[in-house]
Amino acid sequence: DDSALVDATAKITKIGATLTKSSIQNGDYESASHYSKFTADFYAHQINTLRAANVESADDLHLLLIDIHSKIASNTGMDSVSSDLDSVFSYLDSFPKSDQNALVVANILGVADQSYQTAMTENLEQYRIISSNLIEEANVIFDSDSSFDARQKGEIDAFFADLKSQINSKKEFVSVGKIITTIQRDLTGTDTIVADQANLYNVIRQLYQQTNAALQAGDYAKAEELVIAAYLDNFEYLEADIEIVDVDLLHTMEVNMREELRTMVKEKRTPEEIAAFINDPILQDLKKAE
């Protein structure tokens, strides 16, 4: 949907320009250079889409963003950068808005994922901050959308909370990317993986067996990875079908697998207590769902 992409482009560009301006005001020209480079590079990749959507001033804004970064990087003409950035905000305010909030959020999250990967692989704190700001914006847009039911909203809000926590803790980008992909899938209702549903039930059981083994060995970090994999990599693909026949069961399973079990592992409850909870209610409900 071009309207969603155009709207997301405006919001992402505005975040980059805002970070650029605040860095200049704080006298942090190194960060300003990183932020202005991100903004100009990102916008350049969207220019053909903006032209195709007949966005007025798309090319003028493109040239202005390049000029701003050039001034900051070379530390010349800095006296005009503040007013140049104000012009950027004026251009962006005139961009057409989209009513496809789910797609706007999904597009913003895609850029957040790329930015976080850059932050981790190139050790650039500015790109982690960009990613954090993009995720915050995506969360605000999602919360303003009333088209999701309480179950969907609760699940996606929990994913956003987890996502923010992982980025603040500077977790590996693969883990962050997995959550982002899950949110995008839930928002857009599309899967890139054709799931073998019968096998997924067996995989979940195997992952919980491995969880119990990790707990017996005292490896709670490994146990947490396994319970996350059971939910994100497997149960997520079963949700749509379970919802059709028993939405209350689905909601109960989601909370138990996504929140309660993980909390027990994080709090380092005894292996016996956690194993009992996995056995009943989780595995009993899984059998019922199957």
Side-chain angles (χ1 to χ4, degrees):
D1 187 318
D2 278 351
S3 72
L5 193 53
V6 169
D7 195 359
T9 295
K11 288 176 167 60
I12 294 164
T13 304
K14 187 172 184 177
I15 285 171
T18 300
L19 287 168
T20 303
K21 186 166 187 175
S22 63
S23 293
I24 290 172
Q25 289 171 340
N26 293 330
D28 184 355
Y29 297 109
E30 180 184 354
S31 289
S33 182
H34 282 297
Y35 293 137
S36 63
K37 181 180 189 321
F38 161 81
T39 309
D41 287 351
F42 164 75
Y43 189 88
H45 283 107
Q46 314 306 317
I47 191 66
N48 288 332
T49 299
L50 298 175
R51 289 169 181 159
N54 297 313
V55 176
E56 290 184 23
S57 72
D59 287 294
D60 290 339
L61 179 52
H62 185 204
L63 294 173
L64 181 57
L65 290 170
I66 293 171
D67 193 36
I68 289 169
H69 177 60
S70 177
K71 288 177 181 178
I72 295 172
S74 62
N75 198 26
T76 56
M78 290 295 292
D79 52 339
S80 65
V81 169
S82 182
S83 61
D84 287 345
L85 285 164
D86 289 338
S87 296
V88 169
F89 297 132
S90 296
Y91 279 131
L92 293 173
D93 286 343
S94 70
F95 273 44
K97 305 296 187 287
S98 172
D99 59 2
Q100 302 291 315
N101 283 339
L103 291 176
V104 173
V105 171
N107 281 316
I108 292 173
L109 288 175
V111 178
D113 190 14
Q114 295 167 8
S115 300
Y116 191 72
Q117 184 168 342
T118 299
M120 293 296 101
T121 55
E122 299 182 24
N123 194 28
L124 289 173
E125 173 65 6
Q126 292 85 359
Y127 278 74
R128 190 189 67 82
I129 292 171
I130 290 168
S131 185
S132 180
N133 276 261
L134 291 174
I135 287 164
E136 195 61 52
E137 174 74 6
N139 198 174
V140 168
I141 298 168
F142 171 71
D143 282 342
S144 72
D145 192 324
S146 59
S147 65
F148 293 92
D149 63 33
R151 184 195 68 78
Q152 292 171 310
K153 191 167 189 320
E155 181 180 43
I156 294 175
D157 275 337
F159 286 145
F160 268 116
D162 201 8
L163 187 56
K164 292 175 189 178
S165 174
Q166 291 214 11
I167 284 181
N168 288 338
S169 303
K170 302 183 181 180
K171 293 290 180 71
E172 60 177 16
F173 68 81
V174 174
S175 175
V176 167
K178 185 182 291 185
I179 300 175
I180 287 176
T181 301
T182 302
I183 297 174
Q184 289 174 314
R185 186 176 66 229
D186 282 359
L187 286 169
T188 61
T190 56
D191 286 331
T192 55
I193 299 171
V194 179
D196 176 357
Q197 301 221 341
N199 187 53
L200 289 178
Y201 285 98
N202 292 328
V203 171
I204 292 169
R205 292 186 182 99
Q206 289 166 10
L207 286 167
Y208 284 140
Q209 287 176 356
Q210 293 170 27
T211 299
N212 287 331
L215 291 168
Q216 289 294 335
D219 192 344
Y220 281 83
K222 180 64 175 177
E224 186 178 4
E225 288 178 14
L226 290 163
V227 298
I228 291 172
Y231 187 84
L232 282 188
D233 296 345
N234 297 276
F235 187 73
E236 272 279 307
Y237 293 99
L238 299 173
E239 288 183 344
D241 282 351
I242 298 173
E243 183 175 25
I244 293 169
V245 293
D246 194 336
V247 69
D248 291 334
L249 175 63
L250 172 62
H251 181 68
T252 298
M253 295 178 73
E254 281 181 339
V255 172
N256 285 339
M257 295 172 72
R258 185 186 71 236
E259 297 178 20
E260 298 295 337
L261 178 58
R262 189 173 173 197
T263 297
M264 291 175 77
V265 174
K266 290 171 84 168
E267 291 177 352
K268 296 190 175 180
R269 305 275 188 90
T270 67
E272 293 73 23
E273 187 180 356
I274 296 172
F277 187 76
I278 288 173
N279 185 57
D280 189 3
I282 290 179
L283 290 180
Q284 296 304 313
D285 284 343
L286 192 69
K287 183 177 180 182
K288 190 187 300 181
E290 188 176 19

